[in-house]
Amino acid sequence: MRDLKKEDRLVSETISINDVHHIATLARLKFEETEAEKIKDDLNSILGYMEKLNELDTTNVKPTSHTLDIFTVTRPDETRPSLSNEEALANAPQAENAHFKVPKVIE
Amino acid sequence: MDILNSTLNTITSALESKELSSKELVQFYLDRIDKYDGEIQAYNHVNENAIKQAELIDSKRTKGEKLPKFAGVPIALKDLLITGGMPTTCSSKILEGFTPPFTGTAVKHVEDAGFITLGKLSMDEFAMGSSNENAAFKKTRNPWDTEKVPGGSSGGSAAAVAAGLAPVTLGSDTGGSIRQPASLCGVIGMKPTYGRVSRFGLVAFASSLDQIGPMGKSASDLASLLSIIVRHDVQDSTSAKVEQVDYTKALTGDVKGLKLGVPKEYFQTGLAPDVKKAVDEAIKQYEKLGCELVDISLPHTDYALATYYIIATAEASSNLGRYDGVRYGRRAEADNLRDMYYKSRTEGFGDEVKRRIMLGTYVLSAGYYDAYYIKAQKVRTLIKQDFVEAFKKVDAIICPASPTTAFKAGEKTSDPIQMYLSDIYTLSLNLFGGCGLSVPCGFDSDGMPIGVQLLGNYFEEGSILNLAYAFERETNLPKIPQNLKG
């Protein structure tokens, strides 16, 4: 038997420094050790506060992702004006031959 | 004429009768920005073409051409509203130098109505914050006391109105970002119903909560501005398909017989005594105006903050994935693509934005998604249900907009939860999706403004604007500090 209905409870775990670096990797961010410590403490404090939600039994409650009853919106699949190549590239840090240019991907 | 204390209606009449030219009007505000914005720090960018645009309108008017209703009237915009040809930074280093190639829908409507954009207003970076201290460029201060914060995240939009640096502004509200700074700066600001104003061209923070809204000095100005930006938009799939409304017609001042709900959860610990006193007096005023007061309960109020910060950060971490240094914005030098992502994002985002991306990434990550994100969405259902039940009994809800008046800069920056608590009275409404506004109702013992909040059901913008209008007629509070009137 499971001791926690996992889908209905926040998991009380403390975030470690390794967790911080793992999450940072997922988010493509990097933290120096002192910053990572601060982030770790902040996250643990905020997540601790969020455990308050465990007081509520939500087993039979449907989740709300959107407040209004808006259904899938469709439109005719017609060609419409869009940005020109020049406009789309105007803010590119680097562009070449009508493309965005990035540093080498494959060694 | 007394431009500072004129409504948009008075200003447009003066322009139409040629008592005032648009150039004079725009110059009046540009001069004030020159004089006061060094101290207030509201503007990220001032439109260098504003005078030319005003001259063009004046010459068209002289020729007798037909002009849109607000032709030549200045407005200023929160710097997360996409403006074609004018920088849009979201007060973030990652978007420094970004000039969008298109204009968002709400801004387009404002331009089509004839408004001239004075410039772009500072905000907490990517709308994350309650004090404007998370801005990368201009840390806007409160016009009533420049030692204090203006609130946030639409701090620039609120301060610009309060300092008389723009007659009206647009802001955005994800968890209180219009209503809380409106309260702290003594101006009126509204978050419309979710889906009411198109989000196309509003840089996304939390897509299921974000909404553009108007800020100004009077309910009448808010009604005028809201009527312009409320349109269905095919470019936003969450845009509500409802009729366009002229909200100025809703301002009758007659509120007799309306049922006002007073939620007990909004008057408990943490509410500053001066704020409580002013809001209690506002409630008494409504009773005098003929409203019926009804004690109500929104039982899940205490869970709103935790719910909000799970949902909002989850959505933010996903939305902010687009800032990668490839197509626009800041790019850091790096030898390979992966390092370029890491460096561009790490150098480009500020501390609070990183904190929220980290939190959002965590609650969405494998193993935690159900426990945090789905759990929060379920509690959101309960919070929404509280409001649905309440609005079966009452026409509107009255409560404080902020637990305190403006606090000193630096006072809450070290403790994220203390800062998050600034939005305790505003963020439930975003989870529900209805409309709400903060209207000035008094000052604390230090002379700092206090706002009272009116919350309405879905698409009831007209009724809460009318409630604010009726209240304003009785109170007539100063909107601009004495020392900024010169």
Side-chain angles (χ1 to χ4, degrees), chain B residues 5-34:
Chain B
N5 288 305
S6 296
T7 62
L8 292 183
N9 282 336
T10 313
I11 289 174
T12 48
S13 304
L15 289 169
E16 277 162 22
S17 69
K18 304 197 181 80
E19 182 196 331
L20 178 72
S21 73
S22 175
K23 187 180 175 181
E24 286 166 338
L25 180 60
V26 168
Q27 193 62 57
F28 171 82
Y29 280 104
L30 291 177
D31 288 347
R32 288 187 61 85
I33 293 168
D34 257 356

Side-chain angles (χ1 to χ4, degrees), chain B residues 298-374:
Chain B
L298 298 168
H300 296 94
T301 298
D302 218 14
Y303 303 98
L305 185 67
T307 305
Y308 174 85
Y309 274 94
I310 293 172
I311 292 173
T313 57
E315 294 184 14
S317 73
S318 169
N319 276 326
L320 271 61
R322 73 191 59 171
Y323 303 101
D324 56 7
V326 174
R327 294 149 299 160
Y328 48 81
R330 184 190 187 91
R331 175 185 291 192
E333 287 299 317
D335 297 335
N336 61 66
L337 187 62
R338 215 179 140 82
D339 284 349
M340 188 199 88
Y341 292 150
Y342 279 109
K343 280 181 86 175
S344 300
R345 290 169 63 80
T346 300
E347 291 171 15
F349 291 131
D351 289 345
E352 178 62 20
V353 172
K354 284 180 192 166
R355 183 153 45 224
R356 295 204 197 184
I357 291 174
M358 289 290 285
L359 193 57
T361 305
Y362 178 73
V363 301
L364 288 179
S365 65
Y368 300 97
Y369 181 84
D370 286 346
Y372 285 100
Y373 188 59
I374 299 295

Side-chain angles (χ1 to χ4, degrees), chain B residues 180-325:
Chain B
Q180 185 257 13
S183 173
L184 269 49
C185 288
V187 303
I188 175 169
M190 174 191 263
K191 183 203 96 75
T193 304
Y194 184 81
R196 205 60 163 118
V197 180
S198 168
R199 291 183 298 108
F200 180 71
L202 165 66
V203 176
F205 160 13
S207 306
S208 79
L209 304 164
D210 295 341
Q211 190 66 193
I212 297 170
M215 306 183 80
K217 290 193 290 287
S218 65
S220 150
D221 284 359
L222 241 57
S224 299
L225 189 49
L226 187 67
S227 303
I228 294 164
I229 58 174
V230 161
R231 307 274 168 95
H232 174 68
D233 182 15
V234 293
Q235 306 261 46
D236 172 5
S237 64
T238 60
S239 167
K241 259 194 181 144
V242 283
E243 292 296 304
Q244 205 179 319
V245 185
D246 180 357
Y247 292 104
T248 60
K249 296 214 170 88
L251 306 183
T252 61
D254 180 11
V255 296
K256 269 197 200 74
L258 285 184
K259 286 184 179 148
L260 272 189
V262 185
K264 62 176 181 200
E265 292 81 4
Y266 284 62
F267 292 86
Q268 292 165 355
T269 46
L271 179 60
D274 282 1
V275 177
K276 183 173 187 305
K277 191 165 159 257
V279 173
D280 282 344
E281 276 166 21
I283 292 171
K284 274 188 210 138
Q285 185 66 54
Y286 275 110
E287 203 172 16
K288 270 191 220 157
L289 285 165
C291 290
E292 185 190 328
L293 302 179
V294 183
D295 287 324
I296 59 163
S297 171
L298 298 168
H300 296 94
T301 298
D302 218 14
Y303 303 98
L305 185 67
T307 305
Y308 174 85
Y309 274 94
I310 293 172
I311 292 173
T313 57
E315 294 184 14
S317 73
S318 169
N319 276 326
L320 271 61
R322 73 191 59 171
Y323 303 101
D324 56 7

Side-chain angles (χ1 to χ4, degrees), chain A residues 18-30:
Chain A
N18 283 342
D19 294 335
V20 168
H21 290 303
H22 171 65
I23 304 162
T25 304
L26 296 176
R28 296 292 181 269
L29 292 170
K30 266 202 165 72

Side-chain angles (χ1 to χ4, degrees), chain A residues 6-11 13 15 20 23-31 38-39 42-43 45-47 49-50 52-53 55-56 58-59 61-68 70 73 83 87 91-94 100-105, chain B residues 98-99 101 194 208 237-238 300 302-303 305-307 309-310 325-329 331 334-338 340 342 345-346 354-355 357-359 361-362 367-368 370-372 375 377-382 384 417 431-433 458:
Chain A
K6 198 182 170 197
E7 65 278 9
D8 199 50
R9 291 189 68 83
L10 304 191
V11 194
E13 279 177 29
I15 291 186
V20 168
I23 304 162
T25 304
L26 296 176
R28 296 292 181 269
L29 292 170
K30 266 202 165 72
F31 296 99
K38 170 91 171 75
I39 285 272
D42 286 348
L43 291 186
S45 144
I46 297 166
L47 291 168
Y49 179 84
M50 284 169 176
K52 196 179 182 60
L53 298 188
E55 294 166 13
L56 296 171
T58 52
T59 321
V61 180
K62 278 173 70 180
T64 296
S65 59
H66 202 283
T67 58
L68 295 175
I70 294 174
V73 181
L83 294 181
E87 286 169 318
N91 281 284
Q94 257 191 303
F100 295 103
K101 193 178 177 188
V102 294
K104 200 155 60 173
V105 183
Chain B
F98 173 60
T99 302
Y194 184 81
S208 79
S237 64
T238 60
H300 296 94
D302 218 14
Y303 303 98
L305 185 67
T307 305
Y309 274 94
I310 293 172
V326 174
R327 294 149 299 160
Y328 48 81
R331 175 185 291 192
D335 297 335
N336 61 66
L337 187 62
R338 215 179 140 82
M340 188 199 88
Y342 279 109
R345 290 169 63 80
T346 300
K354 284 180 192 166
R355 183 153 45 224
I357 291 174
M358 289 290 285
L359 193 57
T361 305
Y362 178 73
Y368 300 97
D370 286 346
Y372 285 100
K375 177 81 188 184
Q377 287 194 325
K378 286 179 169 187
V379 181
R380 182 175 186 179
T381 304
L382 299 175
K384 178 182 165 178
I417 290 181
L431 294 167
F432 161 61
Y458 301 126

